[in-house]
């Protein structure tokens, strides 16, 4: 998994929905530091984390 592409897509999709990192974290049921780490390319996420984020953004997992 390319973390840079994931981070770019996550920021782009979140911005397109007009939601903050905090709002995304709350909607996805994960912590704000986790979202910040993903967007900062600092961690490789688990599959269930990606699924939660995709559901919160209302996109397919492949779009991340």
């Amino acid at each position: 998994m390319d973390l840079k592409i994931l981070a770019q897509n996550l920021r782009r999709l979140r911005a397109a929905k007009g939601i903050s990192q905090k709002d995304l974290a709350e909607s996805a049921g994960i912590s704000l530091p986790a979202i910040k780490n993903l967007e900062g390319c600092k961690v490789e996420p688990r599959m269930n984390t990606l699924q939660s984020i995709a559901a919160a953004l209302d996109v397919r997992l492949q779009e991340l």
Side-chain angles (χ1 to χ4, degrees):
M1 173 181 303
D2 189 330
L3 295 180
K4 286 183 182 182
I5 291 173
L6 173 65
Q8 289 171 348
N9 288 339
L10 185 54
R11 280 191 297 269
R12 177 180 51 80
L13 291 166
R14 183 176 57 76
K17 298 282 183 181
I19 60 175
S20 67
Q21 288 179 331
K22 181 180 178 184
D23 291 337
L24 177 57
E26 290 174 0
S27 295
I30 59 179
S31 69
L32 177 57
I35 295 293
K36 289 183 177 194
N37 285 335
L38 288 172
E39 287 192 9
C41 301
K42 295 181 181 178
V43 296
E44 187 163 337
R46 294 186 175 125
M47 183 57 69
N48 61 340
T49 300
L50 291 176
Q51 291 169 333
S52 296
I53 291 170
L57 290 170
D58 194 29
V59 297
R60 295 177 316 146
L61 186 59
Q62 294 82 356
E63 293 180 62
L64 294 179

